[in-house]
Amino acid sequence: MSLLTIRNLSVTFATASGPFRAVDGVDMTIAPGEVVGIVGESGSGKSVAMLGLMGLLPDSATVTADVISFEGRDMLKMSNRERRKIIGKDIAMIFQEPIASLNPCFTAGYQIGEALKTHLGLDKKAARRRTIELLSQVGIPEPERRMTAYPHQLSGGMSQRVMIAMAIACEPKLLIADEPTTALDVTIQAQILDLLLDLQRERGMAMILITHDMGVIAETAERVVVQYAGQQVERQSVANLFETPRHPYTSALLAAMPERARGGRLPTIPGVVPGQGDRPTACLFNPRCPKADERCRTVVPPRQPAELGEALCHYPVGADPRPPEAIPPGFGPLSRQPLEGGARASTIAPEVPGDAR
Amino acid sequence: MFKFLLSRVAVLIPTFIGVSIVAFAFIRLLPGDPVQMLAGERVVSPERHAEIMHALGYDQPIIMQYLDYIWRLLHGDFGTSIVTKRGVIGEFFKLFPATLELSFCAIIFAVALGVPAGVFAAVKRGSWFDQTVMGAALVGYSMPIFWWGLLLIILFSGTWHLTPVSGRIDLLYFFPKGTGFMIYDAAVSGQKGALRSALSHLILPAIVLGTIPLAVIARQTRSAMLEVLGEDYVRTAKAKGLSRFRVVGIHALRNALIPVVTTIGLQVGVMMAGAILTETIFSWPGIGKWMVDSVFKRDYPVVQGGLLLIAMVIMFVNLVVDLLYGVINPRVRVR
């Protein structure tokens, strides 16, 4: 039985200029102990989808879904009180900005102990013992002393370790890591990622890793979901995805990886993820897609079968039914020319902290 | 810690000198002098007037008077009232408990209502509750104290006969060895109905004095909460599966209180000014009324000494707030 099943999850924000659909029909099935990556540029709704699942979005957001079930329990029908018994206990989440994510008024120890007291009903003494244990598990030296530290006395990496300790405190079955390394120094990033994977393996805990970094996905995940403008444009195993990406967007993301770049200039994807005002018709990727033709602009693309990466595309890469001369030029693997006319380039640049909301 | 205290005290010295100059100069700017005021409608001959002024030392150049005053202050002598011939400091400590009791109750009233109102308004932002609270806060903040006081007296005392019009307690009750804190005295006296009488005298003045602080605290709490509720750590608290009460009441409020406590401290100064009006309206025998009376009588030593002592109280309260700030905000804690 799957651990988590999501069908057709959508999130709509009420904004001053009308409703904005940030997440559009997301599906997801996670098996126990599995690591799934969600990848995409800033603004593709990766974080919003998971925050919606956790019920952490502001009141201006409306979350709808056909199915959200965790261990066979229907989370849509649960009261808030029942949901809170799962959230933070069986499903835990860590965030992009570890320092801002810890409450500045309480010690690290208090904030970890709070989760233990709430969900496991531990008394003060037992919570303290367990907190020390957790802190040493996440690689914090001198846990007794660090327990009494306030967040402003901790570095970014330390704060993320505390956040991880807090998240794993109640032995969750699923950990959602929302860009856990983005705000950290490069040297710390690898440490935190290793720590997460070690903990995941030791505990057999499932993990959803949200990232914009294809490299991180390659190292960690078994399956990957590529998200673009709130839609899942491709779903594949990691091995297949890196070998034969099916959606032109995935293909472009891979081409933009420094490790894969040949030649001098790193390829980029021209343009930016569409927002509320500039949402294209039919295929949402068509304005940035070198292969797009009239059909892409007028007909909503179908979901391709599993062997084509469940790509949301009329013309999946490597299975384009058009005769070669009909395919618009400039693709294959991706244009490497410098951008013309000052078009805005968006490499898969690091996300600006805080924009995930 | 000790260093911090020392630096705070060092700041007090110039403030103190400033207050003393202002208090000393302003009362002398008013037309008339203590002798004329004491004489009232009786005629005092110019010779007799000059004689008394000389005896009081008020014929000296003003700068000499000031230096003389400071010299005595440094020796702990706050002077003696021209009218009552009683020591200013003794008078102050006799009347101060009344003001303290009133102010304390007013601030309790303001905090007890203002903080929850602000929190709920922020949580239910844009709701009818939010709009009602913020509208009422604006009205409360804009309302002249004396008018509001008179309005409540007319309603509660005049029309409904629920509360007495003035004073601290019914004349029936008397506590010869009282502490000056009427509620406490009445409670420990064991006299039947004394506490009830003291409370019914206190409630209207406390509400009147607490109205402006209430409005300010409610607004400040709301805006601080709104800011804090959008913070990442509030999201973390929710992600932990904590109850709504813990998320809002512990994680968010604890942070929102930091600016609110500062506001509360500043409101104590505002209340001292408000006490002057409130005590006059309700004939509350505190230092506010004492100050007003002595200004009317041009009782120079009382005005000067009283203002200095009030300034000291306000400075002391602000010092306490600064220390409290370190307690509630670990980031500025002094080690």
Side-chain angles (χ1 to χ4, degrees):
Chain A
M1 189 180 66
S2 71
L3 185 66
L4 175 73
T5 309
I6 301 173
R7 290 278 164 268
N8 197 20
L9 174 81
S10 295
V11 179
T12 309
F13 285 94
T15 68
S17 48
F20 170 59
R21 179 162 281 208
V23 176
D24 192 358
V26 161
D27 297 338
M28 191 164 271
T29 309
I30 314 274
E34 190 184 23
V35 181
V36 176
I38 303 179
V39 76
E41 280 169 277
S42 304
S44 359
K46 313 179 295 283
S47 303
V48 173
M50 290 302 113
L51 291 171
L53 166 71
M54 297 280 286
L56 300 179
L57 290 170
D59 290 342
S60 60
T62 314
V63 182
T64 57
D66 294 344
V67 178
I68 300 180
S69 93
F70 184 77
E71 292 188 307
R73 283 174 287 170
D74 186 354
M75 287 183 71
L76 290 168
K77 289 207 183 104
M78 283 181 190
S79 66
N80 282 336
R81 187 182 283 267
E82 285 172 313
R83 267 171 83 99
R84 281 201 300 265
K85 285 186 186 147
I86 295 182
I87 301 296
K89 181 172 184 288
D90 293 330
I91 309 179
M93 190 162 180
I94 59 172
F95 304 98
Q96 194 177 135
E97 289 285 328
I99 296 179
S101 295
L102 288 171
N103 194 324
C105 282
F106 298 102
T107 61
Y110 178 88
Q111 296 187 54
I112 298 170
E114 195 181 22
L116 295 167
K117 285 177 207 158
T118 307
H119 292 296
L120 305 181
L122 296 190
D123 60 30
K124 212 172 168 182
K125 223 170 152 188
R128 189 189 138 83
R129 216 172 27 238
R130 179 89 180 104
T131 302
I132 293 172
E133 220 173 274
L134 284 162
L135 285 174
S136 66
Q137 275 173 25
V138 297
I140 291 183
E142 299 181 77
E144 287 92 345
R145 203 167 65 83
R146 296 288 178 182
M147 254 187 86
T148 58
Y150 285 92
H152 70 276
Q153 296 164 326
L154 299 170
S155 66
M158 279 293 174
S159 299
Q160 194 60 293
R161 284 174 197 270
V162 170
M163 282 297 292
I164 293 170
M166 199 191 303
I168 62 167
C170 303
E171 307 272 343
K173 294 174 179 126
L174 172 65
L175 176 67
I176 302 172
D178 182 4
E179 308 242 8
T181 57
T182 304
L184 303 176
D185 289 343
V186 181
T187 46
I188 310 294
Q189 288 186 359
Q191 289 180 15
I192 294 289
L193 219 51
D194 286 345
L195 171 66
L196 281 173
L197 286 174
D198 286 347
L199 290 168
Q200 182 268 329
R201 268 180 230 123
E202 275 167 31
R203 291 156 186 255
M205 144 180 102
M207 187 156 87
I208 297 176
L209 186 68
I210 301 172
T211 180
H212 60 264
D213 189 341
M214 275 291 189
V216 169
I217 293 288
E219 286 166 35
T220 55
E222 295 150 36
R223 280 196 301 129
V224 58
V225 172
V226 181
Q227 202 160 319
Y228 181 79
Q231 295 180 334
Q232 293 177 323
V233 294
E234 181 159 357
R235 302 190 285 245
Q236 284 231 64
S237 74
V238 169
N240 286 345
L241 186 101
F242 277 80
E243 188 124 322
T244 50
R246 293 303 187 177
H247 196 281
Y249 178 61
T250 317
S251 169
L253 283 181
L254 289 173
M257 281 176 73
E259 296 89 331
R260 294 196 154 207
R262 292 177 303 249
R265 196 175 271 268
L266 198 63
T268 59
I269 311 174
V272 289
V273 181
Q276 187 181 5
D278 53 356
R279 210 165 168 82
T281 54
C283 174
L284 295 180
F285 189 55
N286 83 64
R288 302 173 75 190
C289 182
K291 281 175 59 175
D293 63 9
E294 200 44 40
R295 193 159 162 231
C296 302
R297 285 183 274 275
T298 48
V299 184
V300 176
R303 176 76 65 195
Q304 298 290 343
E307 59 270 23
L308 291 176
E310 301 184 0
L312 202 65
C313 185
H314 289 296
Y315 310 118
V317 181
D320 196 331
R322 291 175 290 188
E325 61 275 11
I327 301 175
F331 197 83
L334 197 74
S335 57
R336 240 168 255 281
Q337 304 88 359
L339 290 167
E340 292 155 34
R344 279 175 70 197
S346 132
T347 54
I348 27 183
E351 293 204 2
V352 183
D355 79 343
R357 276 174 280 154
Chain B
M1 186 68 197
F2 181 70
K3 245 180 150 175
F4 172 74
L5 269 178
L6 212 65
S7 71
R8 296 292 314 189
V9 173
V11 176
L12 294 188
I13 294 169
T15 317
F16 209 73
I17 294 172
V19 172
S20 71
I21 292 175
V22 170
F24 194 85
F26 272 54
I27 187 67
R28 282 168 174 75
L29 286 176
L30 290 177
D33 59 49
V35 181
Q36 285 173 2
M37 292 298 160
L38 272 179
E41 290 181 356
R42 286 170 292 166
V43 183
V44 180
S45 69
E47 295 78 29
R48 178 76 185 132
H49 181 259
E51 197 182 312
I52 302 173
M53 287 299 270
H54 177 74
L56 292 169
Y58 293 149
D59 57 342
Q60 300 277 320
I62 200 156
I63 187 83
M64 293 309 292
Q65 289 183 38
Y66 178 69
L67 291 177
D68 183 51
Y69 180 64
I70 292 294
W71 181 250
R72 286 194 210 182
L73 267 188
L74 290 176
H75 290 81
D77 179 9
F78 275 77
T80 308
S81 164
I82 298 170
V83 181
T84 63
K85 308 281 186 272
R86 281 199 288 255
V88 169
I89 202 121
E91 200 85 324
F92 177 83
F93 281 112
K94 209 180 102 207
L95 298 169
F96 186 59
T99 300
L100 193 61
E101 188 176 76
L102 176 61
S103 308
F104 186 75
C105 292
I107 206 82
I108 294 282
F109 163 75
V111 171
L113 280 183
V115 170
V119 170
F120 280 111
V123 171
K124 303 271 172 211
R125 183 184 193 175
S127 66
W128 66 266
F129 180 82
D130 181 22
Q131 284 168 7
T132 311
V133 166
M134 285 308 106
L138 190 65
V139 172
Y141 186 67
S142 322
M143 197 138 49
I145 287 187
F146 66 89
W147 180 75
W148 176 228
L150 292 176
L151 211 66
L152 288 186
I153 290 177
I154 292 171
L155 207 63
F156 284 90
S157 311
T159 312
W160 293 337
H161 302 290
L162 288 173
T163 56
V165 177
S166 67
R168 295 184 73 189
I169 195 157
D170 278 346
L171 292 173
L172 286 169
Y173 307 101
F174 178 63
F175 315 114
K177 282 189 187 157
T179 54
F181 297 99
M182 202 56 85
I183 300 289
Y184 175 80
D185 289 345
V188 299
S189 71
Q191 296 179 37
K192 205 164 165 275
L195 183 62
R196 194 192 147 91
S197 169
L199 284 173
S200 71
H201 279 79
L202 179 66
I203 186 156
L204 277 194
I207 288 174
V208 169
L209 187 56
T211 298
I212 288 178
L214 167 64
V216 174
I217 289 168
R219 289 185 75 92
Q220 175 71 59
T221 306
R222 177 180 178 270
S223 70
M225 278 301 281
L226 281 180
E227 203 178 305
V228 166
L229 284 173
E231 293 285 348
D232 284 358
Y233 53 76
V234 172
R235 186 181 62 190
T236 306
K238 282 187 207 158
K240 275 202 266 186
L242 301 180
S243 65
R244 205 171 160 76
F245 172 77
R246 278 199 79 83
V247 172
V248 174
I250 309 279
H251 280 265
L253 184 60
R254 178 69 193 267
N255 284 278
L257 274 184
I258 295 168
V260 172
V261 166
T262 313
T263 306
I264 294 172
L266 291 174
Q267 287 308 307
V268 173
V270 174
M271 288 218 313
M272 285 293 161
I276 291 175
L277 285 169
T278 310
E279 290 179 3
T280 307
I281 301 167
F282 290 95
S283 298
W284 190 266
I287 50 171
K289 189 165 180 299
W290 180 50
M291 282 286 98
V292 172
D293 291 345
S294 53
V295 169
F296 285 140
K297 288 176 184 146
R298 306 289 184 275
D299 198 343
Y300 292 174
V302 173
V303 175
Q304 291 159 12
L307 283 180
L308 271 182
L309 288 164
I310 292 173
M312 275 165 85
V313 169
I314 293 174
M315 287 188 273
F316 175 75
V317 170
N318 280 312
L319 181 65
V320 171
V321 168
D322 279 344
L323 293 176
L324 212 60
Y325 198 73
V327 174
I328 60 166
N329 186 357
R331 279 163 293 188
V332 300
R333 198 164 291 171
V334 200
R335 266 173 297 274

